[in-house]
């Protein structure tokens, strides 16, 4: 909870207490709750439970959008938007939640996302790096494919046989 939001909550509780709208014990309970520092482990545990609940939300396989409301998101919200929400809040990121094996892959996941962005549309059906019309050279060699106006793709790798 942000400091500004906590300050507003403290002020609201104090105002209620001064107007005798809440008892002294209720006021103290609210103050203690606001002053308590949530541990990273507690927050991650809560997020992991929410992640398990998210797995049960029906998803449209074509659009990758949820089909039912989930935690304030309505039907039609993309899976990726929700993943980003979890990624910003879980200490080990969404990659940890996706793979769930206890290994922190945050750096690896970021690298894969970067390399995937280097993949481009490709019409060379006989190239080993073409996967469904997309050049995956960057995923293998961790750099962009070299393409020139004169020679086309310098990194083209011919593949024989059935494609």
């Amino acid at each position: 909870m942000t400091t500004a939001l906590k300050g507003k909550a403290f002020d609201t509780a104090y105002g209620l207490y001064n107007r005798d709208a809440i008892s002294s014990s209720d006021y103290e309970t609210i103050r203690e709750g606001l002053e308590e520092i949530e541990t990273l482990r507690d927050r991650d545990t809560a997020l992991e439970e929410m992640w398990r609940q998210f797995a049960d939300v029906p998803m449209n396989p074509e659009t990758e959008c949820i089909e039912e409301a989930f935690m304030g998101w309505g039907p039609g919200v993309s899976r990726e938007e929700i993943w980003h929400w979890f990624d910003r809040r879980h200490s080990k990121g969404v990659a940890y939640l996706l793979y769930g094996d206890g290994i922190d892959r945050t750096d690896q996941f970021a690298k894969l996302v970067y390399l995937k962005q280097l993949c481009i549309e490709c019409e060379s059906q006989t190239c080993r790096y073409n996967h469904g019309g997309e050049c995956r050279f960057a995923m293998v060699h961790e750099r962009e494919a070299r393409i020139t106006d004169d020679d086309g793709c310098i990194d083209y790798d011919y593949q024989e046989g059935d494609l």
Side-chain angles (χ1 to χ4, degrees):
M1 186 181 302
T2 66
T3 304
L5 186 57
K6 273 189 179 184
K8 187 174 180 179
F10 275 120
D11 291 345
T12 301
Y14 185 69
L16 291 169
Y17 174 69
N18 278 339
R19 290 191 308 271
D20 292 324
I22 58 173
S23 69
S24 176
S25 64
D26 287 345
Y27 173 68
E28 287 302 317
T29 300
I30 292 169
R31 283 192 52 90
E32 287 173 16
L34 290 171
E35 290 172 350
E36 185 176 325
I37 297 173
E38 181 181 31
T39 65
L40 196 54
R41 184 179 332 179
D42 290 344
R43 187 184 68 192
D44 282 352
T45 299
L47 287 165
E48 289 162 15
E49 176 56 33
M50 288 181 235
W51 183 260
R52 282 188 284 280
Q53 293 170 6
F54 178 53
D56 294 332
V57 176
M59 190 80 53
N60 181 323
E62 291 179 20
T63 63
E64 293 194 357
C65 293
I66 60 174
E67 295 180 329
E68 292 179 5
F70 174 70
M71 286 181 36
W73 288 287
V77 173
S78 74
R79 173 194 337 239
E80 196 168 306
E81 180 178 334
I82 298 170
W83 281 6
H84 285 296
W85 185 89
F86 278 102
D87 194 45
R88 287 189 306 272
R89 286 162 177 78
H90 195 281
S91 67
K92 296 179 183 169
V94 76
Y96 175 87
L97 295 169
L98 283 167
Y99 297 108
D101 58 6
I103 299 170
D104 184 356
R105 291 185 173 83
T106 306
D107 291 340
Q108 294 170 343
F109 187 67
K111 182 178 181 179
L112 285 174
V113 169
Y114 168 73
L115 292 174
K116 178 74 170 95
Q117 291 173 348
L118 298 179
C119 295
I120 57 172
E121 188 175 329
C122 179
E123 296 177 9
S124 301
Q125 296 298 317
T126 56
C127 180
R128 291 181 192 274
Y129 301 115
N130 184 310
H131 179 78
E134 181 178 65
C135 176
R136 298 280 177 92
F137 179 86
M139 301 294 283
V140 176
H141 295 283
E142 299 184 2
R143 66 174 175 82
E144 290 182 81
R146 296 170 294 175
I147 301 173
T148 67
D149 290 336
D150 296 332
D151 299 322
C153 183
I154 296 172
D155 295 305
Y156 172 87
D157 188 8
Y158 179 73
Q159 175 177 324
E160 291 186 28
D162 293 336
L163 299 176

